[in-house]
Amino acid sequence: MTQGQRGGRAVQAAERRVAILAAAREVIAERGYRGVSLGAVAERVGITQPGLLHYFPSKEHLLVAVLEDRDRWDTAAFLAGGSDSWRLSHLEQLVEYNATRPGVVQTFAALAGESVTGGHPAREYFVERYAQARGRLAELLRAEFGERLAGGRTPEQVAPLLIAVLDGLQTQWLLDPEAVDMGASFRDFVALLGPADGTAD
Protein backbone atom coordinates (compact mmCIF):
# COMPACT_ATOMS: atom_id res chain seq x y z
CA MET A 1 0.00 0.00 0.00
CA THR A 2 1.37 3.40 -0.95
CA GLN A 3 1.66 6.33 1.41
CA GLY A 4 -1.10 8.08 -0.54
CA GLN A 5 -3.41 5.10 -0.08
CA ARG A 6 -2.68 4.98 3.63
CA GLY A 7 -3.39 8.70 3.87
CA GLY A 8 -6.66 8.27 2.00
CA ARG A 9 -7.77 5.50 4.33
CA ALA A 10 -6.89 7.61 7.36
CA VAL A 11 -9.04 10.45 6.02
CA GLN A 12 -11.91 8.04 5.35
CA ALA A 13 -11.62 6.61 8.86
CA ALA A 14 -11.66 10.11 10.38
CA GLU A 15 -14.72 11.05 8.32
CA ARG A 16 -16.50 7.86 9.33
CA ARG A 17 -15.74 8.56 12.99
CA VAL A 18 -17.20 12.06 12.66
CA ALA A 19 -20.31 10.61 11.02
CA ILE A 20 -20.73 8.05 13.82
CA LEU A 21 -20.48 10.74 16.50
CA ALA A 22 -23.01 12.92 14.67
CA ALA A 23 -25.41 9.98 14.41
CA ALA A 24 -24.93 9.17 18.10
CA ARG A 25 -25.76 12.78 19.05
CA GLU A 26 -28.93 12.58 16.95
CA VAL A 27 -30.02 9.32 18.57
CA ILE A 28 -29.31 10.69 22.05
CA ALA A 29 -31.35 13.81 21.28
CA GLU A 30 -34.26 11.72 20.02
CA ARG A 31 -34.26 8.83 22.48
CA GLY A 32 -32.26 9.89 25.53
CA TYR A 33 -29.37 8.05 27.13
CA ARG A 34 -31.14 4.72 27.69
CA GLY A 35 -32.53 4.70 24.16
CA VAL A 36 -29.12 4.70 22.53
CA SER A 37 -27.96 1.43 21.01
CA LEU A 38 -24.98 0.64 18.83
CA GLY A 39 -27.37 -0.92 16.31
CA ALA A 40 -29.42 2.28 16.01
CA VAL A 41 -26.31 4.41 15.52
CA ALA A 42 -24.81 1.98 12.99
CA GLU A 43 -28.04 1.89 11.00
CA ARG A 44 -28.16 5.67 10.82
CA VAL A 45 -24.60 5.82 9.52
CA GLY A 46 -25.23 3.01 7.06
CA ILE A 47 -22.77 0.49 8.45
CA THR A 48 -23.08 -2.78 10.36
CA GLN A 49 -22.78 -2.96 14.13
CA PRO A 50 -19.51 -4.93 13.85
CA GLY A 51 -18.30 -2.15 11.56
CA LEU A 52 -19.11 0.44 14.21
CA LEU A 53 -17.27 -1.63 16.83
CA HIS A 54 -14.13 -1.17 14.73
CA TYR A 55 -14.23 2.51 15.74
CA PHE A 56 -15.76 2.25 19.23
CA PRO A 57 -15.45 -1.08 21.07
CA SER A 58 -18.51 -0.52 23.30
CA LYS A 59 -21.49 1.73 23.82
CA GLU A 60 -19.69 3.35 26.75
CA HIS A 61 -16.66 4.16 24.59
CA LEU A 62 -18.94 5.73 22.00
CA LEU A 63 -20.77 7.84 24.58
CA VAL A 64 -17.51 9.03 26.14
CA ALA A 65 -16.38 10.12 22.66
CA VAL A 66 -19.65 12.03 22.28
CA LEU A 67 -18.97 13.84 25.56
CA GLU A 68 -15.39 14.62 24.55
CA ASP A 69 -16.69 16.00 21.27
CA ARG A 70 -19.25 18.09 23.15
CA ASP A 71 -16.51 19.51 25.38
CA ARG A 72 -14.52 20.60 22.31
CA TRP A 73 -17.55 22.22 20.71
CA ASP A 74 -18.57 24.01 23.91
CA THR A 75 -15.09 25.40 24.45
CA ALA A 76 -14.80 26.54 20.83
CA ALA A 77 -18.25 28.15 20.87
CA PHE A 78 -17.69 30.18 24.02
CA LEU A 79 -14.17 31.26 23.06
CA ALA A 80 -15.18 32.17 19.50
CA GLY A 81 -14.95 35.86 20.29
CA GLY A 82 -11.17 35.61 20.49
CA SER A 83 -10.76 35.57 24.27
CA ASP A 84 -8.46 32.88 25.59
CA SER A 85 -10.17 32.61 28.97
CA TRP A 86 -13.61 31.82 30.31
CA ARG A 87 -15.68 34.05 32.56
CA LEU A 88 -18.49 33.19 34.94
CA SER A 89 -20.89 34.69 32.39
CA HIS A 90 -19.76 32.00 29.94
CA LEU A 91 -20.63 29.32 32.48
CA GLU A 92 -24.05 30.88 33.01
CA GLN A 93 -24.65 30.76 29.23
CA LEU A 94 -23.49 27.15 29.13
CA VAL A 95 -25.89 26.15 31.90
CA GLU A 96 -28.74 27.76 29.96
CA TYR A 97 -27.62 25.99 26.78
CA ASN A 98 -27.50 22.61 28.51
CA ALA A 99 -31.18 23.02 29.36
CA THR A 100 -31.87 22.74 25.61
CA ARG A 101 -30.13 19.36 25.23
CA PRO A 102 -31.40 16.99 27.90
CA GLY A 103 -30.18 13.86 26.13
CA VAL A 104 -26.54 14.92 26.30
CA VAL A 105 -26.90 16.10 29.90
CA GLN A 106 -28.51 12.76 30.76
CA THR A 107 -25.63 10.90 29.11
CA PHE A 108 -23.10 12.93 31.10
CA ALA A 109 -24.90 12.39 34.42
CA ALA A 110 -25.44 8.67 33.87
CA LEU A 111 -21.87 7.97 32.77
CA ALA A 112 -20.45 10.10 35.59
CA GLY A 113 -22.33 7.97 38.11
CA GLU A 114 -21.32 4.70 36.48
CA SER A 115 -17.68 5.77 36.13
CA VAL A 116 -17.02 5.52 39.87
CA THR A 117 -16.95 1.73 39.52
CA GLY A 118 -13.57 0.14 38.89
CA GLY A 119 -12.59 -0.53 35.31
CA HIS A 120 -15.42 1.50 33.76
CA PRO A 121 -14.40 2.85 30.32
CA ALA A 122 -15.56 6.36 31.25
CA ARG A 123 -13.56 6.55 34.49
CA GLU A 124 -10.38 7.99 32.95
CA TYR A 125 -12.38 10.61 31.05
CA PHE A 126 -14.13 11.85 34.19
CA VAL A 127 -11.03 11.77 36.41
CA GLU A 128 -9.14 13.86 33.87
CA ARG A 129 -12.09 16.12 33.12
CA TYR A 130 -12.73 16.96 36.78
CA ALA A 131 -9.04 17.58 37.43
CA GLN A 132 -8.86 19.98 34.50
CA ALA A 133 -12.13 21.62 35.51
CA ARG A 134 -10.91 22.25 39.06
CA GLY A 135 -7.80 23.96 37.75
CA ARG A 136 -9.59 25.96 35.11
CA LEU A 137 -12.36 27.09 37.45
CA ALA A 138 -9.84 28.12 40.12
CA GLU A 139 -8.19 30.35 37.50
CA LEU A 140 -11.57 31.73 36.46
CA LEU A 141 -12.54 32.50 40.06
CA ARG A 142 -9.20 34.16 40.72
CA ALA A 143 -9.59 36.34 37.63
CA GLU A 144 -13.11 37.34 38.71
CA PHE A 145 -12.69 37.77 42.46
CA GLY A 146 -9.01 37.76 43.39
CA GLU A 147 -7.17 35.53 45.83
CA ARG A 148 -9.88 35.35 48.50
CA LEU A 149 -13.58 34.78 47.97
CA ALA A 150 -16.54 35.05 50.34
CA GLY A 151 -15.70 33.54 53.71
CA GLY A 152 -12.00 33.96 53.04
CA ARG A 153 -11.79 30.82 50.91
CA THR A 154 -9.31 30.46 48.08
CA PRO A 155 -10.28 29.87 44.44
CA GLU A 156 -8.90 26.32 44.80
CA GLN A 157 -11.25 25.66 47.72
CA VAL A 158 -14.30 27.00 45.90
CA ALA A 159 -13.65 25.37 42.49
CA PRO A 160 -14.80 21.85 43.57
CA LEU A 161 -17.91 23.39 45.13
CA LEU A 162 -18.71 25.15 41.86
CA ILE A 163 -18.46 21.83 40.02
CA ALA A 164 -20.68 20.18 42.63
CA VAL A 165 -23.31 22.88 42.09
CA LEU A 166 -23.17 22.47 38.31
CA ASP A 167 -23.49 18.68 38.43
CA GLY A 168 -26.04 18.70 41.24
CA LEU A 169 -28.28 21.15 39.41
CA GLN A 170 -28.15 18.96 36.31
CA THR A 171 -29.27 15.92 38.29
CA GLN A 172 -32.12 17.79 39.98
CA TRP A 173 -33.20 19.29 36.65
CA LEU A 174 -33.18 15.90 34.91
CA LEU A 175 -35.38 14.48 37.66
CA ASP A 176 -37.81 17.40 37.88
CA PRO A 177 -37.30 19.99 35.10
CA GLU A 178 -40.51 21.84 35.98
CA ALA A 179 -39.34 22.51 39.52
CA VAL A 180 -35.66 23.30 38.89
CA ASP A 181 -34.47 26.20 36.75
CA MET A 182 -30.78 25.44 36.24
CA GLY A 183 -29.90 28.86 34.90
CA ALA A 184 -31.61 30.81 37.67
CA SER A 185 -30.28 28.53 40.40
CA PHE A 186 -26.73 28.79 39.10
CA ARG A 187 -26.98 32.58 39.03
CA ASP A 188 -28.22 32.47 42.63
CA PHE A 189 -25.13 30.50 43.63
CA VAL A 190 -22.79 32.85 41.76
CA ALA A 191 -24.36 35.74 43.69
CA LEU A 192 -23.05 34.12 46.89
CA LEU A 193 -19.49 34.28 45.61
CA GLY A 194 -17.25 37.30 45.69
CA PRO A 195 -14.08 38.69 47.23
CA ALA A 196 -13.81 38.40 50.99
CA ASP A 197 -13.84 42.16 51.53
CA GLY A 198 -16.37 42.92 48.80
CA THR A 199 -13.78 44.06 46.26
CA ALA A 200 -11.44 42.13 43.97
CA ASP A 201 -7.74 42.16 44.68
Side-chain angles (χ1 to χ4, degrees), residues 169-182:
L169 283 174
Q170 287 188 159
T171 299
Q172 293 179 66
W173 173 73
L174 287 169
L175 291 170
D176 195 353
E178 296 300 319
V180 178
D181 183 330
M182 284 200 297

Side-chain angles (χ1 to χ4, degrees), residues 86-92 95 129-130 133-142 144-145 149 154-170 185-193:
W86 283 62
R87 307 289 293 182
L88 278 175
S89 59
H90 291 135
L91 278 184
E92 292 172 7
V95 171
R129 188 181 194 279
Y130 280 125
R134 287 190 295 270
R136 176 177 251 174
L137 290 177
E139 292 174 4
L140 181 154
L141 291 166
R142 181 170 286 106
E144 295 262 355
F145 300 120
L149 284 77
T154 66
E156 284 73 19
Q157 289 174 311
V158 175
L161 305 179
L162 186 56
I163 294 171
V165 168
L166 288 165
D167 287 1
L169 283 174
Q170 287 188 159
S185 295
F186 183 69
R187 287 190 294 274
D188 287 341
F189 177 75
V190 170
L192 301 175
L193 305 177

Side-chain angles (χ1 to χ4, degrees), residues 110-120 122-124 126-127:
L111 283 179
E114 293 173 5
S115 72
V116 300
T117 59
H120 193 279
R123 186 181 183 92
E124 183 179 352
F126 281 103
V127 169

Side-chain angles (χ1 to χ4, degrees), residues 1 50 85 125:
M1 183 184 297
S85 62
Y125 164 78

Side-chain angles (χ1 to χ4, degrees), residues 1 5 9 11 23 29 46-47 49 51 61 63 89 101 150 152-153 161 166 172 184 187 190 194 198:
M1 183 184 297
Q5 289 173 322
R9 288 194 175 184
V11 169
I47 61 176
Q49 186 168 324
H61 284 91
L63 294 176
S89 59
R101 49 182 184 176
R153 281 146 181 95
L161 305 179
L166 288 165
Q172 293 179 66
R187 287 190 294 274
V190 170

